[in-house]
Amino acid sequence: MPAALGFGFPFARRGSVSGRWCMPGSAEACYHRAGTGEPMKLITWNVQWCRGCDGRVDPARIVRVSREIAEFDLLCLQEVAVNFPDLPGSAGEDQVTAIAGFLPAYSPVYGAGVDVRGSDGRRRYFGNVILSRYPVLRAYRHFLPWPFDPAATGMQRVAVEIVVQAPKGPLRIVTTHLEYYSGLHRVAQVERLRELHAEASAREGRAEDSDDSARRGPMAWTPRPRSAVLVGDFNFRPDDPLHARMQAPLAGGAPAFRDAWAVAHPGVAHAPTLGLYDKAQWPGDPFTCDFVFVTEDLGARVEAVTVIDKTQASDHQPVLLQLADG
């Protein structure tokens, strides 16, 4: 494993390529096999702080299972912890560093919704991470609304967004994990995700800066395209009005999101992603709360969406998206 990434704050340290957070030495290895005609492969998975149905916390198992699923280009994980020994089964391990250490050819981008001081005086983080084999042009970490709800506390939620240089051009990848305990929170968070997408779509029309762009440092222009893939644990079900709201038209010409499962499997009920095996936490029927949304301009490129129903490495099941030509 490489040297620790040094989570004095919740982002991996910067490697040798300016403008992206990556594993040292991994910059060139991040480039995808452009021109091969292979689809882009993305896995999204709520890993429950790497805790399996057997109660064991094992970041190495998460990576191993992900690799068995596919030779993925993007790995989007929710519920990834750093220094949280109070979580069941955890010893307070730095799970971001551990996972990134097993994937040296990928650039990790981590965003923590929860950032608190532990009893030992060290920071504790809980959030989402994207690991990309594509070059990461820019990264964003968006705190989602956390309005006061007298019926539920919940926790601060975050959406991690990256712009990657995919073979067909820049593409936005966003992963998130919406509130479980509060419907009020989820409503506000869905609206914010829609606003962020509309904002990015409006910015795409901006012309690239003039010839002094390279000298503008942090203000230099980078693309933020309309085309996007939004994945994660949304804590709503397919029949929830929020599922339809996530796909509703947007103002300003932004392409609407489409549920990639429905694109790949028209008329077929969603395969369940939660409660297949962990009956202690989820004693009822299995259900779907993990989704892949793609902007409508990407719909024709959706080759497959697959729920991996055999693994018990988390209480959730991973979902694999294959997008034509990367």
Side-chain angles (χ1 to χ4, degrees):
M1 182 178 298
L5 294 178
F7 283 96
F9 59 104
F11 317 126
R13 75 183 179 193
R14 185 158 46 177
S16 59
V17 173
S18 175
R20 62 196 179 99
W21 299 90
C22 60
M23 290 296 298
S26 69
E28 299 307 319
C30 291
Y31 284 87
H32 181 66
R33 305 169 306 282
T36 65
E38 294 184 21
M40 182 192 86
K41 299 181 180 70
L42 178 152
I43 295 171
T44 179
W45 195 3
N46 181 330
V47 295
Q48 191 187 219
W49 61 93
C50 302
R51 181 172 180 257
C53 296
D54 57 3
R56 185 162 55 90
V57 171
D58 189 352
R61 176 168 59 181
I62 295 298
V63 175
R64 183 176 67 253
V65 171
S66 298
R67 282 175 157 164
E68 290 170 353
I69 294 168
E71 187 182 350
F72 54 84
D73 301 294
L74 293 143
L75 181 62
C76 301
L77 304 178
Q78 304 89 47
E79 290 199 23
V80 182
V82 176
N83 189 34
F84 254 108
D86 297 336
L87 291 171
S90 176
E93 60 282 319
D94 181 341
Q95 297 180 352
V96 179
T97 296
I99 292 168
F102 293 118
L103 296 169
Y106 293 75
S107 299
V109 178
Y110 182 58
V114 176
D115 175 349
V116 296
R117 185 181 187 274
S119 58
D120 58 0
R122 298 165 55 212
R123 306 306 299 175
R124 294 182 178 179
Y125 306 112
F126 194 74
N128 314 318
V129 65
I130 305 177
L131 296 106
S132 174
R133 186 157 55 180
Y134 298 135
V136 178
L137 304 179
R138 184 179 285 267
Y140 305 82
R141 298 157 183 91
H142 309 286
F143 284 131
L144 299 181
W146 189 18
F148 174 70
D149 183 347
T153 301
M155 65 180 179
Q156 177 66 62
R157 304 287 176 157
V158 65
V160 178
E161 173 186 345
I162 63 174
V163 178
V164 298
Q165 184 62 54
K168 281 189 173 294
L171 180 67
R172 282 190 302 121
I173 307 294
V174 185
T175 192
T176 193
H177 180 199
L178 304 190
E179 182 55 56
Y180 174 76
Y181 293 101
S182 170
L184 177 68
H185 292 184
R186 284 194 301 279
V187 168
Q189 289 161 3
V190 165
E191 291 307 307
R192 182 56 181 149
L193 289 171
R194 287 169 50 80
E195 290 170 359
L196 288 167
H197 177 53
E199 173 189 304
S201 297
R203 288 180 183 274
E204 187 190 48
R206 170 186 167 86
E208 186 168 351
D209 286 340
S210 60
D211 57 7
D212 68 346
S213 177
R215 293 180 290 173
R216 297 195 64 192
M219 293 187 290
W221 179 92
T222 55
R224 196 177 178 202
R226 292 182 174 92
S227 300
V229 179
L230 168 64
V231 304
D233 177 359
F234 291 82
N235 275 317
F236 54 63
R237 303 191 188 195
D239 60 352
D240 190 307
L242 288 178
H243 180 263
R245 180 59 180 165
M246 195 69 248
Q247 302 175 80
L250 294 109
F257 281 112
R258 294 289 176 258
D259 184 335
W261 175 273
V263 174
H265 307 277
V268 178
H270 287 73
T273 62
L274 183 59
L276 272 73
Y277 301 107
D278 189 346
K279 293 304 180 181
Q281 291 191 89
W282 311 103
D285 292 335
F287 60 94
T288 304
C289 61
D290 304 270
F291 296 95
V292 174
F293 295 101
V294 298
T295 48
E296 54 192 352
D297 58 303
L298 298 177
R301 291 172 53 192
V302 174
E303 288 193 353
V305 179
T306 308
V307 174
I308 311 304
D309 60 3
K310 300 303 182 187
T311 182
Q312 299 185 38
S314 171
D315 60 338
H316 288 248
Q317 306 307 126
V319 183
L320 171 66
L321 167 70
Q322 297 185 68
L323 199 66
D325 299 321

